[in-house]
Amino acid sequence: MKENYNAESPMLQFVSFNKLLEHYDEQLKSKDKFLANRAKYVLEAQAPFPELREGFNDVKLLKKHKDVISIILADTFAPVLTKNEIKTASTPFENLVFNSSERFQDILKNAGEGFELEIRNLPMDINYIMKCTVVLNFYYGFNMDFRRPLFYDIPDTNGVMRHYRILYNADFMEIIPTEKSKELSQSDVDELLENFENVELWKEKIPPNSFISKGFVISNMFDVTAEHSISEIKSTLIGSNKRGTENFMDSFQDTFRSLFNLKKIKVGFTGYDNHANRFLKIYGKGIESYILKGKEMEPCDDMLCGYSYGKLFGENTYFAISNVEKYFEKSGGAQQPYKNLHEQGIKSVILAPIADNGNLLGVLELVSNTVNELNSVNANKLDDVMPYIVSAVLRSIEEEENLVDAIIQHECTTVHSSVYWKFQEEAKRFMADELVGNQPVFKEIVFKDVYPLYGQIDIKDSSKERNLSIQRDLMIQLSEINGVLQEAIKKYELPIYEELMFRVDTYLEEVKEALYTHTEQAIFDFVKEEITPVFRHLKRENKELKNFIENYEAQIDPTTESYYDHRRNYDNSVMEANMQLASLLDKKQIDAQKMFPHYFERYKTDGVEHNMYIGSSIANDRNFDPLYLSNLRLWQLQVMCDMENKYYALKSKLPVKLDVASLILVYSTSLAIRFRMDEKRFDVDGTYNARYEIIKKRIDKSYIKGTNERLTQKGKLAIVYSQRKDEKEYMRYIRFLKAKGYFTNNIEVVELEGLQGVTGLKAIRAEILYTKDTKSERTYTYEDLMEELKS
């Protein structure tokens, strides 16, 4: 037993049986002869040894007076209960046991030689303060609750750790002040309450050895191993990211061993993927899956027999196999889960479903190398812990999903929902590599045998319109500068101002002719480096000129540092058109994804472009059929017409009235796409497939063969293809959509001039029918619509 009598303390510790003996003093007067005679016997046994009443601090006397002390304590340690009660008499705080029940003695004996009894959660560094709180309660009368549950951790004869809750009976204690004690006010106590960890302050208010503690305490102990194990499982599971730590599974298994009182059982976990109905390995240090036996993932149907499947999935209840070998032989040695369990030397097992509202999340596995050790009876012990395991697994799934999302976002930026599953799989593999200590690398994602679809609705002559707006802004700005310089010449008649005007006029003439990039930059530099300093000087020199200059400056956009009126109108028109068209396309895409999942991306340029890829490798849980490609092509045709209608309904409201032209590229050969980690986007994979990207990039600049006519025209949808079967397919769709009011009879097939590296392309150009608004049933060609809008 540990002794701490040398430790500094506010109380001098004296063992005394005075309070108990006073109880016998009273019983001497009892009318009950048995009680009176019993009291007389105890008091006569103690009488020769007054120190037992007065108190002593020499612990050797406990051994010397052992027999007498046993007589004094006989009534508190009833022989009839000695084999059942876990009970001790000891000094308070110092844990020195001098009398105990037989059961307690047996518990210590089973713990093994060399085991030292120690209270688990009684830190020595706060021992002094804890004793002070006792003094404040018992002597000063200040109610200060410092009670905490105290425990002994004692291994049993099998080495399983048992946990005992200690309840103290302090009825036989007295606290007496010495000359060192001080009077304490409420303000003193308030100061102590604010400074719990300041031991020196506590020593100042309640000095060492300022009180005498006389008496002893009786401890009653209760085996709370099951409750403690449940609490341990709960606290272990509450902590985040525990499964990545070194000793997580070791401590977790020890807790389950205590709960079941079985030294050698092991704990495993198997995850469940409800999308693919398969079991999968859970990654973490020391986490095993005995069902999978080293495999990464396996279909549930292959891993369970009909009965076990029904128990886990149908009833969501435990499945216990008390004799694995018996069922292994009974099933001919091939049936799972008996085969895998038998091959690992497992003799008995409990499989417990980790389920939330009937949805299986995984399986908890308890396995033993002993027949019948785990069975359907002790499986019921899991009832108290499964809610915590379910809660932890739900949180773990959420944390893993967040981590998967974080990895995907970091490695790949935003990923379309149709291919997200593939990125999740790779992110989980990435995490698994990291958990086992490997250097994780996010591998490139590839989808093979997918069919591409491309479409664009582009602003016609966008470069020309943009240049025109820049031209106008520059001419206005230069004219405004000239106006200020003319006023300056009137005031000062300096030749330098005339020279500046000459250069401004020269730039004006250049801009009127044509806009070149070098001209735009030259004017910007000229204004910044030569005009702006002169204007700054003139503002200081003349108030009238200052007003002219400030009027000019008020028209200069602070972001571009130049005149920005026509360009703003152009940019706003393009931005508004792009936003409306992209919004419509995104909305329509929701329905298209429901038809069959496919990859989709769209981006805004001078218009809106979109890429789509469809195939079985993208649709994780669906079987692909060419029918779905045909369906998506027809959907794309309709949506392109809808986007054209959307734009021309918007055109009259835009600051700049621009025109658009639409184009679809048909490509009948399947190809592979790869996610480029450096560019964070999908691209076609391989040199053979690169032809598709070349066509896509150059097609909108192509001309009709033998003419100067561009392929893309306002009011018409161009469908580019290379194979005769594609022409027949799209002609069929156009006839159908013409009947639904999407196209006119003006449909032509044209041959295209060869592009660099690409020849043999043809196109269908179909004239689009427009409605003036969504409520109108009347349809228009492009020319009719423009006339109608003008009227």
Side-chain angles (χ1 to χ4, degrees), residues 185-198:
S185 65
Q186 184 62 52
S187 62
D188 290 323
V189 176
D190 292 345
E191 191 178 356
L192 290 172
L193 288 172
E194 291 170 4
N195 296 276
F196 175 74
E197 293 178 347
N198 188 346

Side-chain angles (χ1 to χ4, degrees), residues 454-518:
Y454 171 74
Q456 68 171 46
I457 181 164
D458 201 25
I459 290 168
K460 287 288 289 174
D461 303 321
S462 57
S463 298
K464 180 182 168 184
E465 290 289 345
R466 185 185 291 106
N467 285 345
L468 191 60
S469 66
I470 295 170
Q471 220 171 344
R472 287 169 178 166
D473 282 344
L474 287 175
M475 288 171 68
I476 292 168
Q477 186 174 1
L478 290 168
S479 299
E480 292 286 326
I481 291 169
N482 254 350
V484 175
L485 290 173
Q486 278 177 345
E487 294 299 319
I489 290 168
K490 285 179 190 176
K491 295 286 179 190
Y492 297 106
E493 296 183 359
L494 293 177
I496 189 68
Y497 297 140
E498 288 186 50
E499 192 272 339
L500 282 173
M501 272 191 72
F502 170 76
R503 288 163 71 190
V504 169
D505 285 335
T506 304
Y507 278 128
L508 259 171
E509 289 302 316
E510 277 187 45
V511 172
K512 279 179 188 175
E513 291 296 320
L515 181 70
Y516 300 103
T517 306
H518 70 271

Side-chain angles (χ1 to χ4, degrees), residues 201-438:
L201 179 66
W202 286 83
K203 287 181 180 177
E204 178 196 323
K205 304 293 184 187
I206 306 174
N209 303 332
S210 55
F211 287 87
I212 293 170
S213 164
K214 277 177 63 174
F216 69 97
V217 292
I218 290 175
S219 306
N220 286 286
M221 281 156 274
F222 302 90
D223 188 335
V224 292
T225 303
E227 292 84 350
H228 181 272
S229 299
I230 293 166
S231 176
E232 279 292 294
I233 289 168
K234 183 179 177 182
S235 61
T236 302
L237 293 170
I238 283 171
S240 295
N241 198 27
K242 288 285 186 74
R243 63 179 183 167
T245 58
E246 290 288 345
N247 60 351
F248 167 73
M249 279 308 292
D250 289 340
S251 61
F252 203 57
Q253 288 190 139
D254 285 343
T255 307
F256 270 95
R257 286 164 182 167
S258 292
L259 178 65
F260 279 81
N261 196 24
L262 298 169
K263 174 65 177 172
K264 294 183 179 179
I265 62 170
K266 293 177 185 175
V267 180
F269 288 98
T270 301
Y272 174 64
D273 177 1
N274 67 320
H275 297 295
N277 190 33
R278 63 189 177 187
F279 288 131
L280 47 89
K281 179 177 170 60
I282 292 176
Y283 294 100
K285 290 183 173 67
I287 298 179
E288 295 291 338
S289 168
Y290 299 100
I291 294 175
L292 289 174
K293 194 191 152 200
K295 295 279 185 68
E296 293 289 314
M297 58 186 70
E298 288 291 325
C300 295
D301 295 341
D302 296 348
M303 290 292 100
L304 298 172
C305 65
Y307 182 71
S308 57
Y309 191 96
K311 280 282 185 182
L312 294 176
F313 285 86
E315 300 175 32
N316 279 159
T317 189
Y318 315 127
F319 174 58
I321 311 167
S322 52
N323 190 335
V324 170
E325 192 168 359
K326 173 184 166 185
Y327 286 93
F328 171 74
E329 290 171 356
K330 204 172 180 180
S331 65
Q335 180 69 60
Q336 298 287 19
Y338 316 111
K339 183 176 182 290
N340 276 358
L341 296 171
H342 181 267
E343 287 173 1
Q344 294 168 87
I346 294 164
K347 305 292 186 185
S348 59
V349 63
I350 296 170
L351 302 179
I354 304 168
D356 177 50
N357 291 326
N359 299 316
L360 193 71
L361 307 171
V363 178
L364 168 70
E365 310 165 341
L366 299 179
V367 300
S368 166
N369 293 333
T370 306
V371 174
N372 291 331
E373 196 166 62
L374 294 168
N375 51 68
S376 61
V377 176
N378 59 11
N380 291 283
K381 285 176 176 280
L382 292 171
D383 283 345
D384 296 318
V385 299
M386 289 312 290
Y388 305 122
I389 292 174
V390 170
S391 177
V393 169
L394 284 170
R395 196 187 67 251
S396 178
I397 288 169
E398 186 180 337
E399 287 172 357
E400 183 169 289
E401 284 173 352
N402 291 340
L403 186 52
V404 165
D405 286 346
I407 291 170
I408 294 171
Q409 290 293 328
H410 181 265
E411 297 289 336
C412 316
T413 65
T414 305
V415 172
H416 190 252
S417 58
S418 63
V419 294
Y420 195 71
W421 64 271
K422 186 74 171 177
F423 287 83
Q424 283 180 311
E425 280 187 357
E426 182 56 28
K428 287 176 181 178
R429 189 203 56 75
F430 183 99
M431 287 162 55
D433 273 359
E434 198 168 34
L435 278 168
V436 296
N438 297 336

